[in-house]
Amino acid sequence: MPEPEALDSEKIRMHLSPVGLDLCSRIHVYDSLESTNSWLSGRLREGAATGGEVCLAEMQTAGRGRRGRSWNSPAGGGLYLSLAWRALREDPDSGAATLAIGVAVADALNEIAGAQVGLKWPNDLYVDKRKLGGILVELVNRGNERYWVVGIGINLSAPQMDPASSPRPAGLDEFWSAAAQNRNHLAGAVVDYVLQACARYEDAGFAVLQQRWSGYDLTRGQEIEVHTADGRTLHGKGDGVDMRGRLRVVCAGLEYWLDAGEVSLRLS
């Protein structure tokens, strides 16, 4: 793979729209962090950060995914960023917020890279039936203020895996040959789309993005396997999401509404 372009806060800003520039308060770039989400969450709790701040790292030594899973984050191997957004809605719901952010990231990747990205509920970015990236949304309380910390990880190149593992993760460079030399463009597009999605979500909730989600939904009409927190395994078909971001699954004639925090899901 060609030497990846070094991340640069000013170059990233050059790829923000006028709206994105208004919404973005500051961009931090580091060579290495344990986790961009953890770093930004810490700044928020200390009162040092505000909404619209963005943090990127060339690598993470303890990258995190949903449900405590680790996220492989080698130097130059991907895009690892977190973004802080003040939650103003009375009923902040990480399930719906995660789906809204997923739509924004898919829009950005499809626009910039032409990668035909789809979304596997609730937070995975897929392309060609392989995982390309993921999203982690966490809520941070600071006094009477609440903030979303939106973590996004995208594989620039497919991570090295056991050859027997299936399916092999995807890398953006498979679909966009210039990905390594355009990381600042990619970062700017993702930040811009996500900031605008956060603003729309605060104004009108998930309703404004639900139809866009349906267009990317990889579970709709597909056979899926769901593992619930109480140890049950359900086999059924996905049938869309509601305004709270819950997944509807039809199983043996019964209808289940599943919350992302309670289950893990596998496409059959």
Side-chain angles (χ1 to χ4, degrees):
M1 189 181 79
E3 189 70 21
E5 177 187 40
L7 294 171
D8 182 287
S9 60
E10 290 306 313
K11 290 181 179 178
I12 292 169
R13 279 190 174 276
M14 290 172 56
H15 296 289
L16 298 182
S17 68
V19 174
L21 285 169
D22 285 342
L23 296 172
C24 181
S25 59
R26 189 173 179 183
I27 299 176
H28 308 264
V29 175
Y30 288 91
D31 289 336
S32 177
L33 289 174
E34 287 190 0
S35 159
T36 57
N37 255 38
S38 297
W39 184 88
L40 195 51
S41 296
R43 272 181 59 85
L44 284 167
R45 292 191 181 97
E46 294 165 1
T50 186
E53 286 204 19
V54 179
C55 173
L56 302 97
E58 294 284 1
M59 66 175 290
Q60 296 180 119
T61 58
R64 296 185 289 115
R66 195 170 71 93
R67 300 169 72 87
R69 298 184 181 97
S70 62
W71 183 267
N72 187 26
S73 313
L79 185 68
Y80 322 120
L81 71 87
S82 294
L83 179 153
W85 183 264
R86 187 174 176 187
L88 299 175
R89 298 181 66 81
E90 292 183 2
D91 55 343
D93 189 324
S94 63
T98 298
L99 268 57
I101 290 337
V103 169
V105 178
D107 281 346
L109 294 178
N110 290 334
E111 174 70 23
I112 297 300
Q116 298 301 305
V117 172
L119 297 168
K120 172 180 164 266
W121 183 89
N123 70 326
D124 287 337
L125 303 159
Y126 266 61
V127 64
D128 194 27
K129 299 182 179 180
R130 295 182 292 142
K131 187 171 178 176
L132 177 69
I135 297 162
L136 176 65
V137 178
E138 299 176 301
L139 190 63
V140 172
N141 292 303
R142 186 174 76 190
N144 294 325
E145 298 177 343
R146 294 172 295 187
Y147 291 86
W148 295 118
V149 176
V150 177
I152 299 166
I154 300 167
N155 298 329
L156 188 64
S157 57
Q160 295 297 316
M161 302 288 289
D162 184 335
S165 65
S166 179
R168 186 174 63 90
L172 195 62
D173 58 358
E174 300 172 41
F175 308 92
W176 185 27
S177 59
Q181 292 81 46
N182 288 275
R183 284 203 304 160
N184 289 303
H185 187 187
L186 175 64
V190 170
V191 168
D192 193 76
Y193 276 68
V194 171
L195 283 170
Q196 294 195 53
C198 288
R200 290 196 296 273
Y201 178 81
E202 290 295 341
D203 286 342
F206 182 54
V208 294
L209 294 165
Q210 188 178 24
Q211 187 172 358
R212 296 286 299 155
W213 165 267
S214 296
Y216 288 131
D217 187 359
L218 296 177
T219 64
R220 194 178 189 97
Q222 301 300 311
E223 297 290 338
I224 58 177
E225 179 180 288
V226 178
H227 300 277
T228 66
D230 59 8
R232 291 179 298 157
T233 299
L234 304 176
H235 296 272
K237 283 190 176 182
D239 192 29
V241 298
D242 67 6
M243 295 298 179
R244 291 172 49 193
R246 297 181 305 169
L247 178 69
R248 181 176 184 261
V249 177
V250 178
C251 178
L254 299 176
E255 179 184 280
Y256 297 86
W257 288 98
L258 305 178
D259 184 278
E262 301 171 351
V263 301
S264 61
L265 179 149
R266 178 179 300 169
L267 296 171
S268 298

